[in-house]
């Protein structure tokens, strides 16, 4: 069975953010991710992770939170300076939080110029933070209309163009199902590039159990291939978080 991580942006939302770290540890998680941790003191979050014996796996860049704000700038021509400023702010938080990975969000854009901008920004970021693992993630356009990085072929092309040892793929099984309809096939084609996995059920984006995605097969595939990264539950619990955790066991 893979090693599971709790996405505290989505899970344990019955509690304030600072209380979710303890809740995750008590539920059996050994690692957490927080997508946009910028509205809370970084040291307070770091203390919670230390006190509860948790590893911090992932955070997103840029800093603005997901509530109605732009979903990244890395692929938007003309916003290179903003991307660099935001990336530096992310790194300041990362110095305290010590995430294993930072997910660099592309933003809403299209076309060859957007791809070239994405590649150049990622080259700069990878060289600017050579010891920090960075990821890019294809996100389906049903959930995020107009998002630039919306398929795996583009992601592979961008990774090859950047060719940085600290830039890899982030594989979200829910998005893979939305994009291709074939999670296991998508993993077979691109999983060797992935350093982080996220999961949720379909339809509904609830617990990764039942529904159209066969997680028994997918998790067995990860085990068979010796995937050593974390698998994060990034889903909206159907009821309470604790009531729906049987999928881990």
């Amino acid at each position: 069975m893979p090693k599971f991580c709790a996405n505290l942006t989505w899970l344990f939302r019955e509690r304030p953010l600072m209380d979710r770290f303890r809740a995750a540890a008590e539920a059996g998680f050994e690692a957490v991710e927080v997508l946009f941790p910028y509205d809370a003191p970084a040291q307070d979050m770091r203390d919670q992770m230390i006190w509860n014996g948790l590893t911090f796996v992932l955070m997103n860049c840029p800093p603005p939170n997901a509530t109605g704000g732009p979903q990244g700038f890395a692929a938007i021509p003309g916003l290179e300076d903003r991307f660099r400023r935001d990336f530096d702010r992310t790194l300041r938080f990362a110095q305290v939080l010590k995430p294993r990975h930072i997910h660099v969000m592309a933003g809403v854009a299209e076309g060859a110029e957007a791809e070239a901008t994405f590649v150049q920004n990622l080259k700069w970021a990878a060289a600017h933070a050579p010891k920090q693992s960075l990821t890019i993630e294809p996100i389906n356009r049903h959930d995020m209309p107009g998002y630039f990085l919306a398929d795996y072929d583009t992601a592979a092309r961008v990774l090859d163009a950047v060719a940085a040892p600290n830039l890899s793929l982030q594989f979200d099984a829910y998005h893979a199902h939305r994009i291709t309809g074939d999670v296991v096939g998508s993993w077979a084609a691109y999983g060797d590039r992935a350093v982080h996995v996220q999961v949720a059920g379909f339809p509904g984006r609830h617990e990764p159990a039942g529904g159209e995605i066969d997680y028994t097969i997918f998790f067995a595939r990860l085990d068979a291939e010796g995937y050593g990264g974390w698998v994060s539950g990034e889903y909206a619990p159907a009821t309470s978080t604790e009531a729906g955790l049987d999928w881990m066991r």
Side-chain angles (χ1 to χ4, degrees):
M1 187 64 70
K3 53 184 185 181
F4 294 117
C5 164
N7 183 308
L8 298 187
T9 302
W10 287 74
L11 303 186
F12 304 103
R13 295 187 68 177
E14 308 87 1
R15 299 170 172 81
L17 176 60
M18 290 302 173
D19 293 345
R20 297 177 199 173
F21 296 90
R22 180 178 179 182
E26 290 177 344
F29 289 102
E30 297 180 356
V32 297
E33 61 183 27
V34 179
L35 298 185
F36 297 95
Y38 304 97
D39 293 331
Q43 189 58 56
D44 288 356
M45 285 186 282
R46 180 66 183 164
D47 290 345
Q48 287 294 328
M49 285 181 279
I50 292 171
W51 294 337
N52 290 289
L54 296 167
T55 296
F56 190 51
V57 178
L58 179 132
M59 60 192 287
N60 284 355
C61 173
N65 66 37
T67 308
Q71 295 293 284
F73 307 100
I76 302 179
L79 293 184
E80 292 85 353
D81 288 344
R82 177 165 187 177
F83 169 75
R84 293 187 180 197
R85 288 195 305 271
D86 283 345
F87 188 77
D88 277 335
R89 185 180 174 207
T90 296
L91 290 182
R92 290 195 292 274
F93 272 77
Q95 287 174 354
V96 179
L97 294 172
K98 305 186 187 307
R100 183 160 297 182
H101 311 296
I102 294 174
H103 168 213
V104 179
M105 301 193 73
V108 173
E110 62 181 350
E113 186 180 5
E115 183 167 331
T117 300
F118 196 32
V119 168
Q120 291 305 312
N121 279 333
L122 289 169
K123 284 184 175 181
W124 174 85
H128 190 61
K131 296 182 180 180
Q132 174 65 60
S133 170
L134 307 176
T135 65
I136 57 173
E137 175 193 12
I139 296 176
N140 80 84
R141 288 179 177 158
H142 179 273
D143 287 13
M144 198 172 291
Y147 193 74
F148 171 74
L149 189 61
D151 67 84
Y152 289 93
D153 286 344
T154 301
R157 192 165 61 243
V158 167
L159 290 171
D160 288 343
V162 177
N166 58 328
L167 179 67
S168 306
L169 181 69
Q170 181 172 320
F171 185 92
D172 186 306
Y174 167 83
H175 288 300
H177 181 75
R178 280 281 201 182
I179 293 167
T180 72
D182 182 4
V183 172
V184 173
S186 298
W187 178 263
Y190 302 100
D192 61 324
R193 298 173 178 268
V195 295
H196 186 57
V197 171
Q198 294 169 322
V199 294
F202 185 88
R205 204 168 185 177
H206 298 310
E207 285 78 0
E212 296 182 13
I213 304 173
D214 191 331
Y215 277 108
T216 300
I217 291 176
F218 181 57
F219 291 157
R221 180 69 179 256
L222 297 184
D223 285 341
E225 294 183 3
Y227 170 72
W230 293 95
V231 175
S232 178
E234 188 190 47
Y235 61 89
T239 56
S240 71
T241 300
E242 288 88 347
L245 290 178
D246 283 348
W247 66 271
M248 289 201 305
R249 294 180 272 273

